Amino acid sequence: MMQIDHILTPERTFAGVQGVSKKRVLELIGKLVAQHSHLDPDSIYESLIAREKLGSTGFGNGIAIPHCRLEGCHKAVGALLQLDSKIDYDALDGEPVDLIFVLLVPQEATEQHLQILKMLASKLDQASLREALRNAPDAESLYKIMTADDSGS
């Protein structure tokens, strides 16, 4: 089973991010992830936008898991953003979003991609975890909460 700390790093965990709109946040994600990886910010943004056009990655309960396959990406890369305010994200339940977990995977990683998404969705489906993430005062706490071992739940 893939662990969250295999794809998420403290450097790619961001608290209190200003979210103006879905497009702006996806653009920001490209820049933030690129700073802490060898990936190109424009490719990240364009791939995420292309994926959103197929259907919103806003899962509901204020959570979005934007994800895409990416040329030049050699292993799964995650990033976590806690927004300072909720934004409209065309989520499935119509609710605005303030927690975003980004997942970028290699072009060929289909099965792994689905496994990781399933794991993220089920983890973020826990109300207590979402509340803890929303209340995290800083990126370090946010990272610890997200990567805490939840096999005991």
Side-chain angles (χ1 to χ4, degrees):
M1 181 70 174
M2 166 70 81
Q3 295 294 321
I4 292 198
D5 60 7
H6 293 184
I7 54 173
L8 182 66
T9 64
E11 298 76 39
R12 288 196 305 267
T13 305
F14 306 94
V17 174
Q18 273 193 308
V20 184
S21 66
K22 178 177 179 175
K23 192 171 177 256
R24 280 268 187 280
V25 165
L26 293 175
E27 211 172 328
L28 182 63
I29 286 166
K31 293 182 179 131
L32 292 173
V33 172
Q35 286 171 8
H36 301 285
S37 69
H38 62 283
L39 302 169
D40 175 61
D42 297 333
S43 309
I44 296 171
Y45 171 68
E46 282 153 26
S47 301
L48 287 172
I49 286 286
R51 170 57 190 83
E52 289 296 326
K53 287 188 175 134
L54 303 174
S56 177
T57 55
F59 274 60
N61 293 314
I63 302 282
I65 307 180
H67 55 277
C68 62
R69 289 191 218 152
L70 199 60
E71 202 75 51
C73 180
H74 302 300
K75 63 180 181 37
V77 171
L80 176 62
L81 287 81
Q82 171 208 61
L83 302 182
D84 64 354
S85 58
K86 293 183 177 256
I87 60 166
D88 181 28
Y89 202 91
D90 310 314
L92 304 174
D93 62 0
E95 293 295 313
V97 162
D98 62 353
L99 290 172
I100 299 178
F101 196 103
V102 189
L103 177 64
L104 309 171
V105 294
Q107 207 67 35
E108 59 287 343
T110 47
E111 187 50 40
Q112 185 199 25
H113 185 178
L114 297 173
Q115 289 302 323
I116 298 172
L117 275 175
K118 222 160 81 179
M119 182 250 319
L120 285 172
S122 75
K123 191 168 170 98
L124 291 166
D125 208 32
Q126 302 165 30
S128 57
L129 177 80
R130 291 194 306 269
E131 190 178 342
L133 290 170
R134 289 193 168 104
N135 294 326
D138 53 37
E140 189 186 348
S141 315
L142 202 58
Y143 177 77
K144 284 184 177 144
I145 294 163
M146 192 65 202
T147 55
D149 180 35
D150 58 348
S151 55
S153 62

